[in-house]
Amino acid sequence: MAVGRTIRTYFNGSWQDGNAAVMRAADHAMWLGSSVFDGARFFDGLTPDLDLHCARTNASAEALLMTPTHSVEQMVEVIREGLEGFAPSSAVYIRPMYWAADGDETLIAPKAESTQFAVSLEEIPMAAPDAAATLTRTRFRRPVLESAVVNAKAGCLYPNNARMLREARSKGFSNALVLDAMGNVAETATTNVFMVRDGEVFTPIPNGTFLAGITRARHISNLRADGITVHECVLGYQDFEEADEIFLSGNMSKVTPVTAFDENRYQAGPVAKRVRELYWDWAASQP
C-alpha cells in the first residue's frame, strides 16, 4: 500500500524509483505471513536512532526464524544512499523489510536461507505540532509470547491492531487503548502510551506483550535527563481516567497528545510539549 508522494525501493542490490514489486505469488510470506519490518524517520535532514531500527529489523527476522542478510552497518549504508534521492527538507518514512521466499521441509516454517531484503522509502510529512489523538476502549487484546511473535515487528500481528482501530473509529475515536491478556494497559493499537499525574510520568512496564519502542526509550531517557520522574509500572484504565495528561509515542509522529479517553477530556499539556522539545533537541544534537 503506497501512501507517500514519492517512493524509492531497494531490492536485489539496487535502488528503483516507485513502488516496485518485490514478492511472488508463491513466496512463503505471501501465503504464510513470514514478513517483518521496521520504521525509522528522516526529517530536518536527520535520521534519529536509524541504527537501532535496523538492529531491531534483524532481531525481528530472527524471531520469525529467518536469517538476516544485512548487518546493521550495511543496512544503514543502503538507506543513506537511498535518501540521497530526496531533498534535505523532505520527511521520509524508512521501512527496511525481510520476508521468506521458501518454506522448509515442513512448508509451514520459513527456510531460513531464503530470506529476502528490501527497503521502502516513502515521502510522508511529519504530523503537525498541534496534532492530537482520541482514545477509547477495545474488546481486543494484545497476545502473549506463548501465542504470537510479539517479540518481533511482524506483519502477521497487524490484523489484530486493525480490528482495534476499526472498532475505535466506529465509536468516533482515532485510536484504542489496549489491554494485555492480564487486563493491564499495554499500548494503543499503533503506539506506546504515557500518562502524567502530579508532574510525574507513567508508562506500562514492558512485560512481553508489546514492543517497548525505540522512540519510547528515547523519551524516557530524555525526560529523566531533564529531571522528570518516569515510572514504568502496571497501569489500568482507571489510571488513565485519572491522568492529567496522556500522550502517545511512535516512530511515525514521535509525540502525539491525547485530548480524550472515552468521556474523559484532557488538554495537550506542558509535559507532552516538553517531550517534543526534548526529542527534537536531542535529534538535532546527533552526528
Side-chain angles (χ1 to χ4, degrees):
M1 178 189 71
V3 297
R5 292 176 296 178
T6 304
I7 299 175
R8 302 196 74 204
T9 304
Y10 179 86
F11 182 58
N12 281 344
S14 64
W15 282 100
Q16 307 172 47
D17 290 330
N19 185 26
V22 298
M23 193 180 295
R24 303 165 301 181
D27 277 3
H28 189 271
M30 185 74 174
W31 63 294
L32 289 176
S34 54
S35 66
V36 300
F37 72 99
D38 215 284
R41 270 298 209 169
F42 173 76
F43 61 92
D44 298 342
L46 308 169
T47 52
D49 284 328
L50 178 59
D51 57 338
L52 299 184
H53 287 284
C54 292
R56 191 169 65 179
T57 310
N58 281 351
S60 292
E62 291 169 349
L64 260 70
L65 310 178
M66 294 182 284
T67 300
T69 62
H70 288 60
S71 68
V72 170
E73 294 74 18
Q74 289 170 329
M75 211 181 299
V76 168
E77 183 179 354
V78 165
I79 291 168
R80 293 201 186 282
E81 178 185 289
L83 289 171
E84 292 175 1
F86 294 85
S89 59
S90 298
V92 180
Y93 187 54
I94 302 166
R95 191 166 52 238
M97 299 170 282
Y98 286 117
W99 68 96
D102 302 317
D104 67 4
E105 65 276 8
T106 70
L107 295 183
I108 302 301
K111 189 174 183 179
E113 60 269 29
S114 76
T115 304
Q116 303 293 302
F117 175 73
V119 178
S120 175
L121 302 179
E122 292 194 58
E123 190 173 2
I124 302 175
M126 297 294 289
D130 59 352
T134 57
L135 300 176
T136 186
R137 290 164 171 79
T138 174
R139 68 185 186 278
F140 303 113
R141 295 196 178 190
R142 288 290 300 173
V144 295
L145 184 61
E146 290 76 11
S147 61
V149 285
V150 291
N151 57 333
K153 198 167 177 67
C156 59
L157 296 173
Y158 279 77
N160 192 40
N161 299 57
R163 297 192 303 176
M164 300 167 187
L165 283 172
R166 280 289 183 89
E167 183 181 29
R169 297 296 176 91
S170 72
K171 294 162 63 176
F173 296 84
S174 63
N175 212 323
L177 190 59
V178 183
L179 301 179
D180 61 24
M182 287 72 73
N184 303 310
V185 171
E187 58 177 1
T188 75
T190 59
T191 66
N192 293 134
V193 64
F194 292 80
M195 52 161 277
V196 182
R197 189 166 57 226
D198 298 329
E200 297 187 354
V201 177
F202 300 78
T203 191
I205 188 168
N207 63 358
T209 66
F210 65 95
L211 279 180
I214 292 166
T215 305
R216 170 189 181 276
R218 188 61 61 194
H219 291 332
I220 292 173
S221 175
N222 288 343
L223 283 165
R224 287 174 172 164
D226 199 46
I228 298 173
T229 300
V230 181
H231 305 273
E232 295 182 87
C233 56
V234 175
L235 297 168
Y237 279 152
Q238 184 174 349
D239 293 299
F240 284 84
E241 292 170 349
E242 297 171 353
D244 301 321
E245 292 181 50
I246 300 174
F247 61 91
L248 311 182
S249 163
N251 177 64
M252 184 63 80
S253 300
K254 303 303 180 184
V255 185
T256 306
V258 169
T259 57
F261 172 42
D262 286 334
E263 67 276 7
N264 302 282
R265 297 294 181 265
Y266 313 89
Q267 297 295 318
V271 176
K273 181 180 179 182
R274 184 59 179 156
V275 170
R276 182 181 179 86
E277 292 171 348
L278 290 171
Y279 186 87
W280 257 256
D281 288 347
W282 168 82
S285 73
Q286 301 307 293

